Amino acid sequence: MRLSRYFLPTLKENPADAQIVSHRYMLRAGMIKQQSAGIYSWLPLGFKVLRKIENIVHEEQAKAGHIAMQMPTLQSADLWRESGRYDGYGEEMLRMQDRHGRDMLFSPTAEELFTDVFRSHVTSYKDLPLTLYQIQWKFRDEIRPRFGVMRGREFYMKDGYNFDLTKEDALHAYNRHLVSYLRTYERMGLQAIPMRADSGPIGGDDTHEFLVLADTGESEVFYDSEITDLKFGDREIDFDNVDQCQAVLEEFTSRYARTDETHDEAVFNEVPEERRRVARGIEVGQIFYFGTKYSDAMGAKVQGPDGKPVAVHMGSHGIGVSRLLGAIIEASHDDKGIIWPEGVTPFHVGILNMKQGDDEADAACDALYNSFTALGLEPLYDDRNERAGGKFANMDLIGLPWRITVGPRGLKNGVVELTSRRTGESEELPPEQAVARVAEIYKGIA
Ligand code: ATP
Ligand code: MG
C-alpha cells in the first residue's frame, strides 16, 4: 500500500478523553473512531489488525478440530426465556422489539442459539464430540464503557461451544481449548496466563481466564512468578490425545495463579515469598465447563450407546478479539507509539522515502515495494511529499516492526537502512539483502 493512496487519518495531538495508552494510540494512529459510548468504527488500519487477529483465531481453532459458523446478532427472546437467562441477565442485555411487538435482543453471548442448533440437528452420540464456534459482534450494555476497545459495549468475540457425551469428554474439550488458546495468544506475541476464575452469569464449576499482565488491567491478579517462565512454543500437539492435552493443562495451571474473585490468601502464602506476585491483568479470554446446565434447560439430548436419551455435557469458550488489540498495545509500545508483534502487524514492513521526487530514491523504493509484494508480503510505502521527520514520527506511531529507510546518500553507497521498531537498531545493507532479511523474519508467520 502506498500511503498517499491509503486512508490513515492520524491525529497529531493526544485525545483528551483517552486514559490509557492503547486507547490513545489507537485513536492517534487512525485505527478507530468512537461513534457513541463504547461503540467504534473500525478505520482501515484498525480493521486490518482486527482481521489478522481473527485469522489467527480461526487457524488455531481449525487445528484443534473446531468448526466455524455464524449466528445472528439479533436474537428472539424466546430461547433466552427457555434457558432462564432472559430475566437473569440484567441490564447488560440490550433488548428491543420488532414491529410486531416481539421481544428481541442483541446477543451478549450465544449459549442458547448454539444449544438450539445442536438440539435441532444432532440426535445420536455417534455425532459427538462436536465443537462449534463463531467470531461475531456482541453487545453488552456495560455500565462504564471505557479504555477504548478494551471495555466496549459492542465488541468482537470468538465464542465456542463443545457438546460431549460424558463429563470426561467435555473435560477433554476444556483442556483442548486451554492448549489451543495458549498457542493462539503466543502467535499474537502475547503471554496470556490461565488463571482460576469465577464463572459469573454463564454458570459452571470449572473455569479459567486468560490474563495479559499490564498495569492498566482491570483485574487484580495473584500468581507464582514461575508461571511467567512457561512458554508453549512450537511444540506439536495432537488435539485428540487426551493425556497430552491434560499434561499441558497441568503444566500451565498447577502453579498459583488466580484473579481476585477466587484468590485465597492462605493458599497463596504457601508460595515462597520471593515468588509471590500481586499485579494487574487484562482478561483476553475465558473457558468454561458447565456440564448439563443448558442441555437440561433446553432439552439438548442425544441417544446414548444404550439407546437411552442423555443430556449432553457442554462448555463455552471465549476470546476477546477486539479487546486483544488494546491488550497487545498495552503489552507492546513505547513513548513514540505502538510496536506490533510480527504475527499481527497491519503491514509487514514500512518503506520510508527520505527524498520523495528524487529519481533514484523513488526508483529504489518502487523496486523494494515490488519485491515485497512479489514475495507475498505487504509493505506500507510512505511516498508522501512530506519532510522526513514527520514520516519517521508517523511510522513509529503506527508501529510496523520493520522499516526500510531509503535516501540518496545511502543509495550512493548502494545501501538502504533496515531498522527494528522494537530495539531501534539499524543496519545498512544493499536493498536485495534487506528484502531477504525481512522475508526471513516472516517465514512461517506471514
Ligand atoms: P469482563 O469480566 O471483562 O467483563 P466477561 O468475563 O464478562 O468479561 P466473557 O463472557 O468471559 O467476558 O467473554 C469472553 C471475552 O470477551 C472476555 O474474556 C473478554 O476478553 C471479552 N470481553 C468481554 N466483555 C467485553 C467488553 N465489554 N469489551 C470488549 N471485550 C470484552
Ligand atoms: Mg470472562
Side-chain angles (χ1 to χ4, degrees), residues 85-323:
R85 282 209 292 183
Y86 187 63
D87 295 322
Y89 213 94
E91 299 210 285
E92 274 188 20
M93 182 186 274
L94 181 66
R95 297 153 206 260
M96 65 206 93
Q97 288 189 336
D98 68 10
R99 66 199 296 166
H100 305 292
R102 280 188 285 252
D103 291 327
M104 309 283 291
L105 56 95
F106 197 118
S107 175
T109 171
E111 278 77 7
E112 282 76 1
L113 257 75
F114 276 88
T115 308
D116 180 58
V117 165
F118 179 87
R119 72 178 172 185
S120 307
H121 298 288
V122 181
T123 50
S124 161
Y125 76 97
K126 290 181 190 146
D127 296 325
L128 305 182
L130 182 65
T131 298
L132 302 171
Y133 79 96
Q134 66 173 345
I135 302 182
Q136 178 62 296
W137 294 97
K138 302 290 184 301
F139 195 95
R140 294 183 190 172
D141 205 353
E142 300 273 356
I143 187 156
R144 268 189 81 201
R146 57 180 186 158
F147 300 161
V149 300
M150 291 273 223
R151 184 161 298 282
R153 291 197 295 165
E154 187 183 53
F155 61 97
Y156 206 39
M157 177 173 141
K158 173 261 167 178
D159 47 322
Y161 306 84
N162 66 286
F163 303 90
D164 287 279
L165 183 63
T166 63
K167 178 171 180 179
E168 293 76 69
D169 290 351
L171 288 177
H172 171 58
Y174 185 90
N175 300 349
R176 199 174 62 226
H177 278 85
L178 186 128
V179 176
S180 125
Y181 278 23
L182 288 170
R183 238 158 103 128
T184 304
Y185 297 120
E186 278 192 14
R187 278 189 61 187
M188 300 174 190
L190 278 180
Q191 181 170 42
I193 303 172
M195 298 199 179
R196 184 98 74 78
D198 189 56
S199 64
I202 302 218
D205 309 326
D206 281 316
T207 180
H208 280 88
E209 283 180 358
F210 289 77
L211 285 112
V212 173
L213 298 174
D215 294 340
T216 46
E218 290 186 293
S219 317
E220 187 169 35
V221 297
F222 302 81
Y223 64 95
D224 177 341
S225 65
E226 274 193 343
I227 207 158
T228 55
D229 299 334
L230 298 175
K231 287 266 171 317
F232 187 79
D234 49 12
R235 53 181 109 172
E236 291 287 325
I237 287 280
D238 170 2
F239 282 98
D240 291 331
N241 186 321
V242 172
D243 295 337
Q244 218 181 20
C245 291
Q246 174 75 30
V248 175
L249 173 114
E250 279 164 14
E251 179 184 344
F252 280 84
T253 63
S254 59
R255 292 172 186 75
Y256 192 94
R258 297 192 191 181
T259 63
D260 49 4
E261 296 153 343
T262 53
H263 177 57
D264 182 330
E265 200 64 32
V267 185
F268 190 45
N269 284 338
E270 289 165 19
V271 177
E273 192 171 357
E274 69 281 4
R275 295 196 338 231
R276 267 180 246 153
R277 298 283 185 282
V278 182
R280 303 202 68 82
I282 301 166
E283 181 194 330
V284 292
Q286 186 162 13
I287 54 176
F288 301 89
Y289 163 71
F290 45 68
T292 57
K293 178 179 154 141
Y294 294 91
S295 46
D296 280 337
M298 297 180 64
K301 292 191 169 78
V302 293
Q303 193 175 51
D306 58 1
K308 296 206 181 91
V310 266
V312 288
H313 286 257
M314 291 175 60
S316 69
H317 318 276
I319 293 182
V321 175
S322 51
R323 179 180 286 182

